[in-house]
Amino acid sequence: VSDRFSRQSFLGPGAQAAFENCRVGILGLGGGGSHVLQQLAHVGFTNFAIFDPDVANDVNLNRLVGATEFDVRWHLPKVAIAARVVKAIRSDANVEVHQCRWQDEPLALRGCDVVFGCIDGFAERREAEACCRRFLIPLIDIGLDVHIAEGEPPQMAGQVIVSVPGGPCMTCLGFLTEQRLAQEAAQYGAAGPRPQVVWANGVLASTAVGIAINLLTGWAGRNATIYFSYDANDGTVRPHPRLPFVDLRRPCSHYPDSDVG
Amino acid sequence: MTATLRLPGRLLRAVREDLMRPHTFALERVGWIFARAAREARGVLLLAFDYSGVADEHYIDDQTVGARINSAAIRRALERALRSGDCVLHVHAHAHVGPPGFSPDDTEGLRELMPSFGAVAPHAIHGAVVLSDDRAAGRVWLPPSRDPNPARVVLVSPGLTICGGEP
């Protein structure tokens, strides 16, 4: 096993132990979460709690990492496909599978040391962040959107946000706003299928995994960016333009330090 | 049952800053971390949210140990445990890099101290933490056991440092 990770030894002598000692939660095992999980398994993480109520459908095959036509035919749960992917890479991995909404297994989520939010919608993100803050868990959230306007090429953009207890939250960063939440609530059930593609999900997942690696090893420096903006049309991932206007040292007012448990 | 203590970054900085202050005669400082307990699937979480250092005048001049505190310091922490039901963790620091450990003096002192906390706040989980410059070690007394259990300690920021135990 030691040879397996020789190409990433620059991460530091304690890196592999840190990965194996870290329990990772993944909320949503669709296009984003399946990518994240596969990468984490390759990197050497071995302890996972994964949450998704859905089964694989034909519409998922354009982006669901590890899914096959067989899985679709037999309506395999996305979490089962994900666990299979991990086990194929790392047979000794411990994958705790929850074929349900993460909200339905709160004790399993609380035990995670870091959580990846690979979920849709602003309201659910706020819920996940509130839960992670209460239990002092760093949350790495990814999201992708495609805007289609007549006469224009589709605009595909996304974000990766690191929400660490005590630091700026998604509201502090201006990503979660009352206006967005209200718009989403008003459109509930009317949004239709959201465009999603595997390569853009891969960029966001890779960025998110890189952030987790840096949290655990510090290889890229401790003052790493907490809010990335992805422009798929330009092919760029950059620190979000709003970041210079956020006081990163100011305590988050939305989740006070005393609001734990 | 596993026990995991999570220490958020701002609180951890405050703890370190206080513990690193020199004292007139004590060789090291001690303090109290306050936490709330919560269940998780495989055990219990201790979620730290507050800290209180021991006042200068509450140290006893005893050069045979790093720090010895008087009954007033202990009573103050006991009163808070009684009043709030919070979990209380004794904390001190060793100035080095790498995993710290509890010394024989630490172990003996805590063995005498911890039953008092269990007596005043029996439904809370109490324990001790020793910090190094970059890591930590923890012990908790899980009722009804009178012997300590090792605790995982997660330093939540800067970075994410997970010390000890099984994930």
Side-chain angles (χ1 to χ4, degrees):
Chain A
V1 173
S2 58
D3 273 356
R4 182 182 296 195
F5 302 111
S6 58
R7 301 294 182 95
Q8 60 188 45
S9 59
F10 69 93
L11 295 173
Q16 294 312 132
F19 302 154
E20 292 188 6
N21 200 22
C22 181
R23 186 168 195 78
V24 180
I26 301 181
L27 315 182
L29 272 299
S34 62
H35 248 306
V36 167
L37 184 66
Q38 184 193 45
Q39 292 193 27
L40 292 174
H42 277 298
V43 170
F45 287 78
T46 54
N47 288 285
F48 303 97
I50 58 177
F51 304 81
D52 196 312
D54 294 338
V55 298
N57 285 305
D58 199 41
V59 73
N60 304 130
L61 281 181
N62 78 322
R63 65 192 186 283
L64 191 65
V65 171
T68 66
E69 291 181 344
F70 175 90
D71 300 331
V72 170
R73 192 174 312 130
W74 291 98
H75 307 294
L76 249 62
K78 289 180 179 177
V79 284
I81 296 167
R84 186 182 66 201
V85 167
V86 173
K87 289 287 192 177
I89 297 165
R90 191 71 190 254
S91 58
D92 61 343
N94 168 32
V95 188
E96 201 179 280
V97 169
H98 300 282
Q99 194 195 347
C100 61
R101 297 163 69 243
W102 59 269
Q103 296 93 329
D104 297 332
E105 289 283 0
L107 299 189
L109 181 64
R110 290 178 194 177
C112 296
D113 298 310
V114 63
V115 166
F116 288 83
C118 308
I119 49 186
D120 292 331
F122 297 114
E124 189 168 11
R125 283 190 167 85
R126 184 163 70 170
E127 209 177 332
E129 184 174 49
C131 178
C132 287
R133 291 278 171 150
R134 279 180 57 205
F135 294 98
L136 298 176
I137 307 168
L139 169 70
I140 304 172
D141 178 88
I142 66 174
L144 180 72
D145 243 331
V146 182
H147 299 280
I148 298 169
E150 203 168 320
E152 298 286 332
Q155 297 293 309
M156 185 156 60
Q159 78 289 325
V160 182
I161 296 177
V162 192
S163 173
V164 175
C169 69
M170 288 196 259
T171 303
C172 296
L173 293 170
F175 176 71
L176 287 183
T177 63
E178 291 305 322
Q179 187 185 10
R180 282 179 165 171
L181 287 158
Q183 280 174 356
E184 181 179 85
Q187 291 171 354
Y188 183 77
R194 296 158 60 87
Q196 294 284 326
V197 290
V198 68
W199 71 89
N201 283 332
V203 171
L204 295 170
S206 299
T207 305
V209 169
I211 288 167
I213 304 300
N214 192 44
L215 281 176
L216 284 159
T217 66
W219 77 273
R222 287 294 191 199
N223 295 318
T225 299
I226 59 166
Y227 189 0
F228 285 98
S229 174
Y230 171 46
D231 184 328
N233 296 62
D234 287 349
T236 56
V237 177
R238 295 193 178 97
H240 196 279
R242 196 177 286 130
L243 266 181
F245 305 101
V246 178
D247 184 354
L248 300 177
R249 290 163 306 177
R250 197 169 136 195
C252 170
S253 59
H254 307 96
Y255 299 102
D257 291 348
S258 57
D259 284 1
V260 297
Chain B
M1 183 164 73
T2 64
T4 299
L5 168 67
R6 292 192 178 136
L7 273 167
R10 191 167 19 254
L11 182 67
L12 182 62
R13 277 196 299 280
V15 173
R16 288 191 197 284
E17 280 173 17
D18 182 66
L19 296 179
M20 289 303 138
R21 290 183 304 122
H23 187 272
T24 314
F25 54 78
L27 299 176
E28 62 187 24
R29 285 182 178 269
V30 301
W32 311 102
I33 289 171
F34 299 95
R36 296 201 182 98
R39 286 171 54 220
E40 56 110 342
R42 285 153 300 118
V44 65
L45 298 171
L46 299 182
L47 306 162
F49 69 95
D50 199 8
Y51 169 75
S52 176
V54 167
D56 284 358
E57 62 273 23
H58 289 168
Y59 286 86
I60 296 169
D61 192 356
D62 180 351
Q63 297 299 307
T64 65
V65 291
R68 189 177 297 282
I69 56 175
N70 66 17
S71 59
I74 297 168
R75 189 167 60 245
R76 188 168 290 187
L78 285 170
E79 283 170 359
R80 175 154 174 183
L82 175 66
R83 205 172 53 246
S84 65
D86 291 337
C87 307
V88 180
L89 296 120
H90 176 281
V91 60
H92 72 293
H94 294 167
H96 62 81
V97 172
F102 291 91
S103 70
D105 283 341
D106 296 335
T107 301
E108 187 52 37
L110 292 167
R111 196 188 307 278
E112 292 174 13
L113 180 66
M114 281 300 139
S116 304
F117 286 93
V120 299
H123 301 298
I125 294 165
H126 308 291
V129 187
V130 55
L131 302 172
S132 72
D133 293 347
D134 61 346
R135 300 187 70 80
R139 288 178 180 171
V140 293
W141 276 255
L142 296 168
S145 171
R146 294 185 64 82
D147 294 318
N149 292 279
R152 290 176 90 221
V153 184
V154 180
L155 311 178
V156 176
S157 84
L160 181 64
T161 307
I162 302 166
C163 310
E166 298 289 318

